């Protein structure tokens, strides 16, 4: 059957929030990471918050599995969860250990900063309210922008005992291929989606991209709740 | 049977975030609302965001009903939902119509501001992850602080064609009594809770109280996503 | 805008499982209830299982609220929950007390029979997997068939100290009107539904109708798990 | 720290439903499977229902991930999902293809039988209502009894072009080890559980074991909804 020529969903989604996507690449956190000049304590703050965020990313995948329509969606989501558990979490924990070797131990039980709460809540609420395609869309900016950012700075990175490994992980073949597979699945699933559905997916993607940007900003400024700032 | 003397949970929860609770009363939005000097467009922004927030408040109650342990919890939660649907939503919509009569129509389809997304997400994620007691705790600061604030300024309010009604609704007997009932139920349920459970409830309550404060601040500053600010 | 002439969803759903629907009216439990000849212990078993089932019916409504699309769906679902909590549960509990007055106390903590587990599980899994319209459809045969059955036998009921009240409740104006409202909302919401969606709703409705029939059969035979039968 | 000597949870759970557990081993479906005398159409019916059941088993794991307390629970659940997706589903589909080679194509779109609906619903409702430990407990009898049954008949199986492979998969080291790991995790997690919690877990496990038995019976009798029986 001839399909009408439609822009693949993922391309449309990224184009729909072009300015925010560009800002992700230009954020000082990312620039200083590439240059190797990012203060180690700033990176530690980021890694600690990431380790508070990733379990919620996995919980959102889990809820999406609970609501998945058929075997294809279930299998893709389980494989995404497997990559986060088996590769990403392990890699992020290794980075934290390296920071601790270089800079000493950090806070034993760091608290989620406001943007970690907001971003986690956004993903879990998309999962609580929507279906598996909604969740796959809300999760995509995080995974995709990491690959995009890492590929964008892979050629210019200064050698650094820790940051180079962060970039190599997300620019690595395994990670980049997994993003391509997710995009392909979402594009295929979305061929059936009507206008209003695509608009809703566009809103989810755009909000997630904004929260990605807010997450870098949170890390760069070591954001705190206002009543806790005075306590520091 | 003699109960050990324990501080009732709700009193403990409020004491645990005393500074934030105090800040709620002192926020310029609240002060100017009482004085009748709050700009109408600021109030409109607040009301519009509240109408985007309240359905998520109801969704969180719904998910908690889905996870409630027994008939007592179910019945309390249904009655809370009934108050929001049958009284609060109606009252807030009436306020918006009054604003529109006085100041003309607003944006036909306002978008959720960052703090509305964050607070909605926090409630829905508490509901997606936790049980009914977790959700009741996360929902409490919103309802309780409104009654508390309204009672606190009830004696000093300047007459105002709109704001006085807002205050009267939340300082009214029906609303205030419903809060007392919720607190009593939560106190009773929590008598069985151990130390670690009470700590987790304390964290949920404190985060919700901070998001309440952030909500007033959002309204007062007419907060926007940074990429949309330039577009205004 | 002119709507194409479509059979209203609910009419289509009931027609789609016509034989089962007819069997509900003819089940010996229902016939003997109308004739006043149903053994009181059979009715007690039914009422006890109903009191184990209804909280799950409410939990399914709750989960549907958590996933509802907009204010109209939320408000309808909250009002359904309100009717079950405020009227139906109260009425069923009163019937149980009357049975106990007439026939003495029953089992202090009856266990859910296999069909109660199956029907509860079906509703909660429809709610865990689907959206609010799925849940409203899965819940409908229970509520609708009760009104239908009660109206069908209202003219022929023998006077009975307990059974007449059961019939009067479900044939009463308040209950019957609430069903009409639910059908109207579902019909309206489903005008937007395509073929494949209507098929899925048809399957949910048919399974729920079969489980209704199984529930009467369970009560009539005082069904038990096979390993517990020997223990009786 | 010295632990009090407690029976490990899983041992207690199995002992708590000893008769049902024993009946699983003795069910004619299992006996005829071992003897190689089970009619191929009976096995096909079983496999088709299993392929309708397993996605719901995965959905329940997914919902449990959404509600998991910490990283250990999340990682165990993702690994369970991975085994079902990556090994079990593949193995069951291969068995169905072998049946089709030997006995010709079956029904293109088989419908879930009553017990498949009941068991799926039970698992999803445990996941909709409970926490991750509840779900792990409700899922355990299925996985554990398969390994137990397969190990029990591994020495006596008649050579059969299909059934021998079914038994070898579930008696295989990889599958058996994964069960041991699940039991160990659940035992460890449950050391913290009080009496009433253990009782609730016992009820979930017992119901799941009964539904396992009902599933073999369903397959053996090629169970149908009563209104569909006449149509066959």
């Amino acid at each position: 059957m001839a399909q009408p020529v439609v822009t693949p969903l993922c391309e449309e989604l990224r184009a729909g929030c072009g300015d925010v996507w560009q800002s992700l690449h230009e954020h000082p956190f990312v620039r200083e990471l590439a240059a190797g000049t990012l203060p180690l304590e700033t990176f530690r703050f980021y890694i600690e918050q990431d380790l508070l965020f990733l379990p919620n990313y996995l919980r959102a995948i889990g809820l999406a599995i609970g609501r998945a329509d058929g075997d294809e969606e279930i299998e893709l989501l389980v494989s995404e969860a497997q990559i986060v558990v088996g590769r990403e979490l392990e890699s992020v924990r290794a980075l934290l250990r390296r920071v601790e070797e270089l800079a000493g131990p950090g806070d034993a039980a760091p608290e989620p900063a406001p943007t970690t709460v907001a971003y986690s809540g956004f993903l879990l609420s998309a999962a609580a309210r929507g279906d598996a395609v909604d969740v796959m869309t809300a999760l995509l900016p995080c995974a995709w922008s990491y690959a995009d950012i890492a590929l964008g700075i892979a050629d210019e990175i200064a050698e650094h005992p820790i940051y180079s490994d962060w970039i190599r992980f997300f620019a690595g073949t395994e990670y980049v291929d997994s993003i391509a597979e997710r995009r392909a699945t979402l594009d295929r699933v979305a061929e059936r989606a009507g206008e209003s559905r695509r608009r809703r997916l566009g809103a989810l993607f755009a909000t997630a991209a904004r929260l990605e940007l807010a997450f870098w900003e949170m890390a760069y400024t070591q954001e705190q709740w206002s009543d806790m700032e005075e306590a520091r």
Side-chain angles (χ1 to χ4, degrees), chain A residues 67-89:
Chain A
R67 204 150 302 139
D69 237 14
D71 293 1
E72 185 186 7
E73 282 181 15
I74 291 176
E75 288 173 26
L76 181 78
L77 288 161
V78 170
S79 124
E80 286 184 28
Q82 185 58 28
I83 286 170
V84 178
V85 161
R87 297 273 180 279
E88 189 165 352
L89 264 180

Side-chain angles (χ1 to χ4, degrees), chain A residues 26 50 105 114 119 128-129 171 193 217 232:
Chain A
E26 291 161 9
D50 202 29
Y119 199 177
R129 288 187 48 186
E217 184 67 14
R232 291 209 305 205

Side-chain angles (χ1 to χ4, degrees), chain A residues 25 95 145 177 179:
Chain A
H25 286 268
L95 290 171
S145 74
D177 285 355
I179 305 301

Side-chain angles (χ1 to χ4, degrees), chain A residues 145-222:
Chain A
S145 74
Y146 269 45
D148 228 27
I149 288 170
L151 286 170
I153 58 181
D155 291 341
E156 49 168 308
I157 50 170
E159 204 47 49
H160 184 279
I162 296 180
Y163 306 161
S164 324
D165 277 356
W166 187 95
I167 296 162
R168 268 193 285 269
F169 176 81
F170 291 106
T173 311
E174 188 184 31
Y175 194 80
V176 169
D177 285 355
S178 78
I179 305 301
E181 193 196 336
R182 287 165 71 160
R183 288 183 48 189
T185 305
L186 203 50
D187 284 344
R188 193 165 55 248
V189 168
E191 277 169 7
R192 300 189 288 271
E195 253 326 286
S196 79
R197 179 69 196 259
R198 285 173 89 101
R199 251 199 316 279
R200 193 175 76 202
L201 297 177
L204 285 168
F205 189 91
T207 301
R210 285 167 178 148
L211 286 163
E212 268 302 310
L213 189 58
F215 204 84
W216 293 124
E217 184 67 14
M218 167 202 76
Y220 196 68
T221 60
Q222 301 196 33

Side-chain angles (χ1 to χ4, degrees), chain A residues 134-145:
Chain A
D134 289 332
V135 183
M136 287 192 264
T137 303
L139 293 171
L140 188 58
C142 174
W144 187 5
S145 74

Side-chain angles (χ1 to χ4, degrees), chain A residues 110-125:
Chain A
E111 295 283 325
T115 299
T116 303
V117 170
Y119 199 177
S120 298
F122 167 72
L123 292 182
L124 282 162
S125 79

